[in-house]
Amino acid sequence: MTAVRLAGGPLADEIKAGVRARFERIRAKGIVPGLAIVTVGEPPGGNPYVRSKCRAAEELGAHAAVRRLPATASEREVRATLEELSEHPAYHGIILQLPLPAALDEDRHLEDIDPEKDVDGIHPVNVGRWVSGLSAHRPATPAGIVELLRRHVGDLAGKRVCIVGRSRIVGRPLSVFLSERAPGMNATVTLCHSATRDLAAVTREAEILIVAMGQPRAIGAEHVRQGAVVVDVGIHAIENPPAGGPRFEGDVDYEPVSRVASAVTPVPGGVGPLTVAVLLRNLADAAEAAAERA
Ligand SMILES: NC(=O)c1ccc[n+]([C@@H]2O[C@H](COP(=O)([O-])OP(=O)(O)OC[C@H]3O[C@@H](n4cnc5c(N)ncnc54)[C@H](OP(=O)(O)O)[C@@H]3O)[C@@H](O)[C@H]2O)c1
C-alpha cells in the first residue's frame, strides 16, 4: 500500500478565502482587524512562526504587529504589555508566543490576555468553555486537524483514535474535540504521553493516529495499523540538509509509515498551513465580535 499524501493546503486555502471575505466586510465598517504577537527573548534572526503568522494576516487584509520583549523581561513588564494590548482597540487578537523563558510563568501570563482576544484559545476561560462544549476560541492546530479528518474520513463516530502527546495546544484539546458529543465527532480517544507503556501496542490499535510528540521520526511502521490515517503534527528543521533535499521532518518516519497507512500528512505542507488559517479565522471571529459591540 502507498498512502495518500494528505496535504493541508487546499483546506487551508478555502478557510483563508472565507477569512479574507470576512476581513473585507469588517474593513467596510471602518475597522481594520488587528493581530498583536508578544515575544519574549526572540532569537536575533527572528522567529519563523511569528513571521509566517504576521505575513498571512497581512496578506488577508489584517494589520499585524509584534511586541518584542527581551529575554530578561520581568513578570511586571510582560503583564503590562499584555494588559495594554488587551485594552487597545486596534488589536482584536493577541498571541503570547510560547515557550516563555524559564523565569516566567506561562499559566499566569495567559490570564493577562483578554479572553475575547485570546485567538490561541488557551486562556483558562476559553479552555473551560470549549471543554464544556460552549462557543469559544479553539486552539488552531487541533481545530484544523479535526476539519481535515472530517473531510478525509467523514463521520468520526466510534472511530478508534490514538493521540500521542498531551500538550495544551495540540494533544489535549484534540482529545476533547474528537470525543465531544457533537455531530461528526464521538470518536473513541486514547491519549498517550511519556508514561505510556508499550506505545506501539497502543498506537497499532488506532484507525486514526495523530502524533504531536516533538520527537523527530519517532513513529515508524511498527506503530501503525494497516490502513490507518496518520496525522503528523511534529516539525523539525534538519541540520545540514542535503542539497536539494528536505529541510524539515516530522514526528513520523514518512516513507515506511506510508507503506502501511492509507493516508499520511506530509511535513511540511500537512498540518502547518491549517494552523495559520484557523488562527486567522479566530481573529475574524474576534474582530467581528468587536465590530458588533462598537
Ligand atoms: N504544525 C503545527 O502547526 C504545529 C503546531 C504545534 C506544535 N507543532 C509541533 O508538534 C510537536 C509537538 O508539539 P506540542 O507543543 O504539541 O507538544 P510538546 O509540548 O512538545 O510535548 C510533547 C508531548 O509528547 C509526549 N511525548 C514525548 N515523548 C514521548 C514518547 N516517547 N512517548 C509518548 N509520548 C511522548 C510528551 O509527554 P509528557 O507530557 O509526558 O512529557 C508531551 O505530552 C513539536 O514538534 C511542535 O513543533 C506543530
Side-chain angles (χ1 to χ4, degrees), residues 12-253:
D13 288 345
E14 277 177 43
I15 293 170
K16 286 206 268 188
V19 171
R20 187 190 295 277
R22 290 171 70 189
F23 282 175
E24 271 168 22
R25 287 196 289 274
I26 297 165
R27 290 178 74 111
K29 294 180 183 166
I31 295 170
V32 179
L35 175 68
I37 304 182
V38 177
T39 67
V40 186
E42 204 179 310
N47 179 326
Y49 298 113
V50 171
R51 271 199 300 275
S52 78
K53 287 179 226 181
C54 289
R55 193 172 51 235
E58 301 264 0
E59 274 170 14
L60 297 186
H63 163 67
V66 184
R67 290 284 177 92
R68 293 187 172 83
L69 300 177
T72 53
S74 66
E75 184 182 318
R76 187 190 297 194
E77 285 170 280
V78 176
R79 177 179 309 132
T81 302
L82 293 169
E83 287 180 349
E84 184 237 307
L85 292 167
S86 292
E87 297 282 319
H88 202 306
Y91 297 108
H92 308 97
I94 301 170
I95 294 170
L96 176 60
Q97 191 65 30
L98 302 177
L100 295 178
L104 295 169
D105 182 338
E106 285 181 5
D107 290 310
R108 181 169 296 176
H109 288 303
L110 287 173
E111 291 198 70
D112 296 332
I113 300 172
D114 177 352
E116 306 263 357
K117 298 189 178 187
D118 163 42
V119 286
D120 270 339
I122 51 177
H123 184 291
V125 167
N126 285 322
V127 174
R129 289 187 63 88
W130 51 249
V131 166
S132 308
L134 300 171
S135 68
H137 293 307
R138 291 185 167 211
T141 305
I145 292 170
V146 167
E147 288 179 47
L148 187 68
L149 288 173
R150 288 281 287 123
R151 178 158 299 196
H152 181 73
V153 178
D155 193 352
L156 302 175
K159 294 283 183 203
R160 275 177 286 169
V161 179
C162 179
I163 302 166
V164 188
R166 57 180 164 185
S167 70
R168 74 160 100 221
I169 54 162
V170 185
R172 190 168 296 281
L174 198 46
S175 72
V176 173
F177 301 162
L178 292 170
S179 60
E180 208 168 19
R181 189 195 292 269
M185 299 296 124
N186 296 300
T188 303
V189 178
T190 303
L191 186 57
C192 298
H193 42 73
S194 59
T196 298
R197 274 183 279 130
D198 197 353
L199 183 67
V202 181
T203 57
R204 271 200 309 269
E205 291 289 310
E207 298 165 276
I208 299 170
L209 174 61
I210 303 161
V211 189
M213 58 196 288
Q215 307 282 339
R217 288 204 263 168
I219 296 296
E222 71 280 13
H223 292 89
V224 178
R225 179 192 177 106
Q226 189 79 34
V229 173
V230 179
V231 176
D232 187 357
V233 185
I235 182 152
H236 311 274
I238 300 173
E239 280 190 32
N240 307 318
R247 297 176 55 227
F248 293 95
E249 60 190 355
D251 288 351
V252 171
D253 200 356

